[in-house]
Amino acid sequence: MGTITTTEGTEIYYKDWGSGQPIVFSHGWPLSADDWDAQMLFFLQHGYRVIAHDRRGHGRSSQPGDGHDMDHYADDLAALTAHLDLRDAIHVGHSTGGGEVVHYLARHGESRVAKAAIISAVPPLMVKTEANPGGLPKDVFDGFQAQLAANRSQFYRDLPAGPFYGFNRPGVESSEAIIQNWWRQSMMGGAKAHYDGIVAFSQTDFTEDLKKITVPVLVMHGDDDQIVPYADSALLSTKLLQNATLKTYEGFPHGMPTTQAETINADLLAFLRA
């Protein structure tokens, strides 16, 4: 575990365990590297080097007042990979982290990268526009910002207790431990970073980024994702990528790397070994 300091002075916290081919994990909003616990331990035990960082303004990284956009997220990831001199790396991103991975590959190139996987990821574009009629109305994301500003702690309790993990679905057993861990991670981060991050994950258009990527990409998405709707994300991204494999999970929620870790880990491992 350690930190790096970017050229502008932002401190990025990261974990780096094991040896072997590196897997770099990019977490979702508004969480931290801890959200990858189930994957980090699994792939460490399978002989991989596992690395995960806290995005700027999240977790244990510093909380600057600005720079909470996809360009900075991708540049911070590039700074980390350069600092660790990673080669033949596999990048895995969940939700907003999927956007971070896509933008990193397009913005910084693939010379250090072997493969990538994006899980429940936000690309190509979440917000509804004339060019993206299947997106969610901007009012939805404005509402997220309003709830965050009004009572961030309550908002961060309601999301995991409801749609994030599908605990609001009939017959789904809720987990208080998972809800509290989501809340814990989120409250460690900064309100300003999280407020701005809603714009970053919802309004960034990754269409051209996706077209540039040539490495194999596994696109994993649940068809009952209530946060990033499946039809306007995974299906469209798969068509834009040059070398994509789509895996659709019937009934799985947005937070499936946690609630369905066994399935996700096994499928990721098969993709990495292929």
Side-chain angles (χ1 to χ4, degrees):
M1 295 183 286
T3 60
I4 62 164
T5 303
T6 68
T7 54
E8 61 184 285
T10 300
E11 192 172 80
I12 303 295
Y13 170 94
Y14 68 92
K15 311 175 190 184
D16 182 2
W17 305 338
S19 59
Q21 187 177 16
I23 308 176
V24 185
F25 295 94
S26 292
H27 65 77
W29 174 97
L31 300 165
S32 74
D34 293 355
D35 200 44
W36 291 111
D37 283 354
Q39 285 69 44
M40 296 271 284
L41 291 171
F42 176 86
F43 285 99
L44 179 66
Q45 292 165 359
H46 282 81
Y48 290 89
R49 177 184 178 185
V50 292
I51 299 151
H53 65 293
D54 290 354
R55 187 170 299 119
R56 61 170 53 218
H58 295 62
R60 291 140 293 204
S61 292
S62 59
Q63 299 185 11
D66 53 17
H68 307 296
D69 54 70
M70 280 293 163
D71 284 353
H72 281 85
Y73 296 166
D75 292 351
D76 292 346
L77 180 55
L80 176 62
T81 59
H83 172 76
L84 298 176
D85 193 26
L86 301 182
R87 307 284 177 179
D88 198 33
I90 298 142
H91 282 265
V92 180
H94 176 246
S95 195
T96 299
E100 177 179 290
V101 167
V102 165
H103 200 50
Y104 160 74
L105 290 171
R107 186 172 169 88
H108 292 278
E110 303 172 341
S111 62
R112 295 180 177 273
V113 181
K115 293 181 177 181
I118 56 174
I119 307 172
S120 312
V122 298
L125 175 62
M126 282 201 73
V127 73
K128 183 177 182 178
T129 64
E130 286 188 16
N132 185 43
L136 296 171
K138 185 175 178 293
D139 290 352
V140 171
F141 305 107
D142 293 344
F144 285 173
Q145 288 185 311
Q147 291 176 76
L148 188 155
N151 190 337
R152 187 165 68 118
S153 181
Q154 186 63 54
F155 182 43
Y156 288 175
R157 170 73 190 188
D158 294 342
L159 264 179
F164 196 94
Y165 293 112
F167 291 153
N168 57 340
R169 293 303 198 206
V172 175
E173 185 177 352
S174 179
S175 167
E176 184 63 25
I178 288 175
I179 294 167
Q180 289 194 19
N181 190 42
W182 201 100
W183 183 91
R184 174 193 67 83
Q185 292 176 67
S186 302
M187 291 304 293
M188 286 171 66
K192 179 62 162 59
H194 294 170
Y195 187 91
D196 292 352
I198 293 169
V199 174
F201 75 66
S202 66
Q203 296 186 29
T204 302
D205 189 341
F206 300 95
T207 301
E208 296 305 315
D209 289 344
L210 290 162
K211 292 177 182 178
K212 293 177 183 177
I213 297 171
T214 64
V215 296
V217 180
L218 178 62
V219 180
M220 313 171 81
H221 218 106
D223 68 2
D224 194 35
D225 191 322
Q226 300 173 67
I227 305 297
V228 182
Y230 169 78
D232 199 57
S233 53
L235 288 182
L236 300 182
S237 290
T238 303
K239 293 175 182 176
L240 291 164
L241 289 160
Q242 297 181 41
N243 190 0
T245 301
L246 173 64
K247 284 200 73 73
T248 303
Y249 298 88
E250 184 177 354
F252 280 21
H254 186 67
M256 63 186 189
T258 297
T259 55
Q260 277 82 20
E262 186 175 343
T263 298
I264 299 305
N265 290 352
D267 288 350
L268 263 176
L269 182 63
F271 171 69
L272 302 192
R273 288 177 168 175

